[in-house]
Amino acid sequence: MTRKQTRMLRRILISVATLAAVWVLCAFVPLPWYAQLALYLIPYLIIGYDVLRKAFLGVVQGEIFDENFLMAIATVGALALQEYREAAAVMLFYQIGELFQSYAVGKSRKNIAALMDIRPDYANLETREGVQQVDPDIVAVGDVILIRPGEKIPLDGVVLEGSGTINTSALTGESRPRRVSPGDDVISGCVNQDEVLRVKVSKPFGQSTVARILELVENSSLKKAKAENFITKFARYYTPAVCIGAAALAILPSLFTGQWGVWVSRALTFLVISCPCALVISIPLTFFGGIGGASRSGILIKGGNYLEALAQVKTIVFDKTGTLTQGVFQVTGVFPAEGFTEEALLETAALAESWSSHPIAQSLRAAWGKPVDSSRTRQVHEEAGHGLTAQVDDVPVAAGNARLMEQLGVQIPQSNQPAEGATVVYLAIDGAYAGFLQISDVEKPTSAQAIQSLKRQGIRTVMLTGDAEAAAHQVARRLGLDDYHAQLLPGDKVEKLEQLLNTKAPNTTLAFVGDGINDAPVLRRADVGIAMGSLGSDAAIEAADVVLMDDDPAKLPLALRIARKCRRIVYQNIVFALAVKFLCLILGAVGIANMWWAVFADVGVMVLAVLNATRMLRPIKPE
């Protein structure tokens, strides 16, 4: 418990003991009303002086209609009606409820704070005077830092010296270590486990992965869900309405019956019952807990509005490469046309693709296995979704799919066709067909499991890809997807997504899952954009509403379960709190519910709603 919570608990215990002693004394010793008032004021002021103070300041500052004002008016009125015991008890139970709420919120914040622990405290900067510990904020791009075993990586960079493993669990929620060696990128927030790493900094701290993630999580509470906005607007109109209603209940019947004491008492009970604490506290707490719980599992959700939209998802559209597949291509066959050799075909392909960062280009260079002299390649022109053309040793070369060959007027012989479902790169050299290379991209180990889990949740799954029809069909069949669309250019993906958005069921949302680099337009257009975060890629964090930090498709069903549980708890609290409130308000108005009923309708409902909201703090295990 915090120091503030400990002080409140001490006040509650002292007030309980004092109230019990005064209650017993007044039960056995006849005392005049002023003596009883003086005695009951002791526990009342011990437990309620801060509520009275806040109510007074609220009136002075023009913020009248809040729970402190309602509690102050109701309990002071009860004292005026000589309901001394009830006044002190109502204030006591209200503060118990506030303590409970404070503890629940504090526990949720601790869960978020566990994620905040990824923030590095220092960086070991190499200087002319030696290695110095400095604030990560002052380290510049290009500086060299040392990361010793057991230390957090303070900034993003590239390994210059040292090999070993880094623990990425703070970002991904998974304990699987990642192997790094010279030339590999490392990101801030991970922990070096083995050897000393010498790293060249590639980004300032403000733009580093850890800083971006912390900023996202800290600002997530600013993006409120519809349910949160509803409660805010509801309380804005509801509280003045019940105050006016209570005044009317006290005055109007009394004018006709003359029973001012009876109707004023009912009006005060009405005020206590009307406090909207249960809704105002429990709804944001539920969303806060949901975002925190998802963060611990390596799922970054940028706000309560996206968490709510995620709960309504009924269709998930996937990109293929890097999302459902590993995006690590391997050349599995080289098939030259007559007059060309395998070695010449592979070398030409590696040279043509020497300037490209596409995974297929990387696989071609890796298959060549020798240093690629990119200076031999000039005038590279990429055709989006088709391939590229270039000058290799001053000879025109084209590398791409069948559509590129057709566009260039290159005839592919019927005798030189790839196997069905294969991904291929055709080559044309100096306008003549030169052959093709067959490339494989393996599905991620958890992709099929993720698709089956989503289907059990009633989700329709669709894949959009630029690959050939046969290759897309094979992947869709193996993974069990409901539908797929192949041979799509980047612009075609947006158009196809628009069609899917237009045909979705009312009151449902559509999510798109991509790698966050090539799919930014589609991520932004979808109701919910979900990016495979590549351990914190900038494009993923910028474009998406939800980021899966470890690129694992199996996290998708978990994210939906977290979102749906959150929505279920929110609706439960709204229905329960409003039903009890309105029932007790009616009973209070007709004189059936007394001040003790009011305590349950206010504090009791708040405690039960907060208890229900804290269920979001329990981790949800993957299926």
Side-chain angles (χ1 to χ4, degrees), residues 384-543:
H386 291 76
L388 58 80
T389 59
Q391 293 281 332
V392 177
D393 295 331
D394 296 323
V395 176
V397 172
N401 56 25
R403 285 184 293 179
L404 179 63
M405 298 295 109
E406 182 182 347
Q407 180 180 314
L408 297 174
V410 176
Q411 187 70 33
I412 300 174
Q414 290 296 321
S415 60
N416 201 224
Q417 294 291 330
E420 183 181 358
T423 297
V424 298
V425 175
Y426 294 99
L427 260 79
I429 301 176
D430 201 13
Y433 177 72
F436 70 89
L437 298 100
Q438 187 166 297
I439 297 168
S440 298
D441 180 18
V442 182
E443 292 94 359
K444 290 182 178 179
T446 58
S447 289
Q449 169 197 339
I451 297 299
Q452 293 308 310
S453 181
L454 290 171
K455 293 177 87 168
R456 285 195 294 271
Q457 295 185 36
I459 304 296
R460 178 173 176 247
T461 55
V462 182
M463 180 178 72
L464 305 182
T465 178
D467 277 5
E469 171 72 23
H473 174 74
Q474 292 291 334
V475 172
R477 182 181 58 80
R478 285 195 294 266
L479 297 182
L481 293 160
D482 294 317
D483 197 6
Y484 71 92
H485 302 276
Q487 296 180 303
L488 299 176
L489 300 176
D492 297 333
K493 287 186 179 182
V494 177
E495 185 178 334
K496 186 60 67 175
L497 189 77
E498 291 282 1
Q499 295 175 12
L500 292 169
L501 285 167
N502 291 333
T503 58
K504 69 179 182 179
N507 301 318
T508 65
T509 57
L510 179 146
F512 178 82
V513 188
D515 61 15
I517 300 171
N518 302 317
D519 299 309
V522 200
L523 284 167
R524 288 194 172 96
R525 180 62 192 92
D527 296 321
V528 184
I530 304 174
M532 296 292 178
S534 301
L535 286 177
S537 78
D538 290 346
I541 291 177
E542 286 296 330

Side-chain angles (χ1 to χ4, degrees), residues 329-332 334 346 350 361-370 437:
F329 292 87
Q330 291 182 330
V331 175
T332 55
V334 182
L346 192 54
Q362 294 172 4
S363 72
L364 294 174
R365 295 195 295 270
W368 174 237
K370 300 175 185 178
L437 298 100

